[in-house]
Amino acid sequence: MIKLLIVLITLLSLSSVNAELRLLSFPGETIKLMLDVDQEVQLNFEKPLSSIGIPTDIKNNIKTQLIDSRIWIKATKAFKPTRVLVKSLKGEISVFSLSASPNQQKAQEYPIKYNIVSERRQAYKSSSSGSSSSDS
């Protein structure tokens, strides 16, 4: 069984300050995202969003801003993995497991950008010919 795939593809060179990364999201799977304290992250979704649900346990440790299909997140203090829900305008839910730890390096001037791409799982079809699951 395939667990959540987090595929990071650097769209710019590794030396670039503002590289864009891709997170593949499967329905029903949690997206794990580790933040560095004081490093801003920008999450770009495919569809417009309506809300982000931040648990009260971490509200004082994180700053967020939601505009259309983008969310900016900046951890101000370290915190353990916590479930955060992001809801689209159509009611679709993305579940994140966010955590933050102290950054050992100086934070980048620009946000780290992640493109959230929803992937649909397709059932694998039998390769044998003549098999059918429907009756006429």
Side-chain angles (χ1 to χ4, degrees):
M1 179 175 187
I2 299 175
K3 296 221 179 212
L4 169 68
L5 290 178
I6 298 181
V7 179
L8 300 176
I9 300 173
T10 304
L11 300 177
L12 303 172
S13 70
L14 292 175
S15 62
S16 173
V17 174
N18 198 16
E20 289 190 26
L21 307 169
R22 178 177 289 173
L23 296 176
L24 290 182
S25 168
F26 291 103
E29 299 281 346
T30 300
I31 301 170
K32 294 180 183 177
L33 186 59
M34 295 175 55
L35 306 171
D36 288 328
V37 173
D38 294 327
Q39 176 61 61
E40 188 173 40
V41 171
Q42 178 183 329
L43 303 178
N44 301 309
F45 289 78
E46 297 172 306
K47 299 175 183 176
L49 304 171
S50 65
S51 63
I52 178 170
I54 304 292
T56 55
D57 294 356
I58 64 168
K59 278 198 185 258
N60 294 329
N61 299 359
I62 194 168
K63 293 180 181 181
T64 62
Q65 184 177 22
L66 185 154
I67 300 174
D68 193 36
S69 61
R70 293 187 176 119
I71 298 174
W72 286 266
I73 301 173
K74 186 175 185 178
T76 55
K77 296 178 186 172
F79 57 89
K80 293 181 180 179
T82 305
R83 184 176 296 138
V84 173
L85 304 178
V86 176
K87 187 176 182 180
S88 75
L89 284 177
K90 292 187 175 186
E92 299 159 326
I93 303 286
S94 295
V95 181
F96 286 82
S97 176
L98 291 185
S99 61
S101 59
N103 191 352
Q104 301 302 320
Q105 301 174 12
K106 183 181 176 187
Q108 295 180 16
E109 184 178 341
Y110 301 100
I112 298 171
K113 295 181 182 181
Y114 293 95
N115 296 317
I116 312 301
V117 180
S118 296
E119 291 289 324
R120 302 260 188 267
R121 288 195 176 160
Q122 296 181 357
Y124 292 99
K125 295 183 180 181
S126 174
S127 61
S128 61
S129 61
S131 63
S132 175
S133 61
S134 63
D135 295 324
S136 297

